[in-house]
Amino acid sequence: MAFIKQTINETMDVWEKCYKSDFVQELAKGTLPFEKFKFYIIQDSIYLKQYARVYAMAMYRSTTLKDLQVFYNILSFVTDGESAVRLNYLNQFGITDDDIELMQATKVNRNYTDYMLSIAENNDIPEILMAVLPCMIGYCYVFTEVVKNHSNIKKSPYWALIDDYANDEYIKSCEFWAHYADKKCDCLPVKRQEKLKEIFRQASLHELYFWEMVFEKESV
């Protein structure tokens, strides 16, 4: 079994909790309170800036043109694709990118980005991949499950966000990134692979905490 598929399978218990979280379920039903969605978009916008820095650090550590191209490709998606959807929502809220720069990340948000940045600062390409992949592929899993299990999902006021991670183009991109990660990790020693799996699981847990954060006391 390919390394990434095996790693995902071993972490699926966390991803299923992500899908079953109150935030995702209410988002899917269209019943998520507006203020909670606004809070999420703001925090995710703050998160994406740090997330992009992780990719910039990966590009710095890259030693081949292929690695540079892959990380540049993903970074472009983060800064152009994901940010565009959130910018549209922020505009609806009357919030600008400049406003976001002045806003504070929650502790849950900081813990997540600090974890990824620490991995990027102290490790190599395979470890960085394991720290960032749960966000990319995890979102794909969560929102394709949402689309699969909610027949009227396109009527949700949050459809633009859902579709961003459940459309065919994004699914194909995730498959490409997973295949790339397999090539970087499949032939590594077992001891290092176990370390990589643990990084993947920890990053997945941070994803879960991010979903759950929306309904925590500090959120609103």
Side-chain angles (χ1 to χ4, degrees):
M1 183 184 295
F3 177 74
I4 296 301
K5 184 175 181 181
Q6 182 182 40
T7 303
I8 290 172
N9 286 346
E10 293 176 7
T11 315
M12 190 54 66
D13 60 312
V14 179
W15 285 15
E16 287 177 351
K17 289 179 181 178
C18 290
Y19 170 70
K20 293 176 182 178
S21 67
D22 291 338
F23 173 76
V24 171
Q25 290 304 304
E26 291 202 21
L27 188 82
K29 297 173 188 174
T31 58
L32 182 70
F34 175 78
E35 285 302 314
K36 289 189 179 296
F37 181 70
K38 179 180 177 181
F39 167 78
Y40 163 78
I41 290 293
I42 290 172
Q43 287 300 312
D44 207 39
S45 298
I46 295 170
Y47 164 90
L48 283 176
K49 180 178 69 173
Q50 303 303 322
Y51 190 62
R53 288 181 63 207
V54 177
Y55 284 103
M57 294 169 75
M59 290 176 66
Y60 175 77
R61 288 188 175 275
S62 296
T63 57
T64 68
L65 179 60
K66 179 65 175 179
D67 288 345
L68 281 168
Q69 290 173 332
V70 169
F71 283 112
Y72 179 80
N73 172 269
I74 305 174
L75 180 60
S76 297
F77 174 81
V78 171
T79 56
D80 298 336
E82 288 188 283
S83 294
V85 172
R86 280 155 184 77
L87 183 59
N88 182 53
Y89 281 120
L90 291 174
N91 288 338
Q92 293 178 38
F93 305 150
I95 299 173
T96 67
D97 277 338
D98 289 339
D99 295 327
I100 292 295
E101 294 293 336
L102 301 175
M103 295 179 179
Q104 297 296 314
T106 64
K107 182 179 179 181
V108 169
N109 196 342
R110 289 194 305 274
N111 287 345
Y112 190 2
T113 56
D114 285 352
Y115 177 74
M116 288 189 294
L117 288 166
S118 176
I119 294 295
E121 288 170 357
N122 298 292
N123 293 277
D124 209 340
I125 298 301
E127 286 80 10
I128 298 174
L129 281 168
M130 292 304 103
V132 298
L133 275 176
C135 180
M136 294 184 293
I137 304 178
Y139 264 61
C140 185
Y141 168 78
V142 165
F143 286 117
T144 52
E145 286 295 298
V146 164
V147 172
K148 185 193 309 180
N149 295 308
H150 294 80
S151 58
N152 294 320
I153 190 64
K154 291 184 179 181
K155 295 181 180 179
S156 169
Y158 309 120
W159 169 244
L161 178 73
I162 296 166
D163 183 53
D164 206 34
Y165 298 102
N167 64 66
D168 290 341
E169 183 179 355
Y170 186 70
I171 292 171
K172 289 179 181 178
S173 293
C174 285
E175 290 172 350
F176 170 79
W177 295 329
H179 179 67
Y180 168 75
D182 270 331
K183 291 201 295 184
K184 303 298 289 188
C185 301
D186 261 342
C187 297
L188 295 175
V190 172
K191 186 174 181 180
R192 189 172 181 189
Q193 286 185 339
E194 291 303 314
K195 175 188 175 183
L196 294 174
K197 287 180 180 180
E198 181 58 25
I199 292 172
F200 189 93
R201 185 172 185 84
Q202 288 303 313
S204 295
L205 285 168
H206 279 294
E207 277 292 310
L208 174 61
Y209 304 149
F210 201 99
W211 294 122
E212 293 176 338
M213 171 187 68
V214 179
F215 279 83
E216 296 295 327
K217 291 181 180 179
E218 68 171 316
S219 66
V220 289

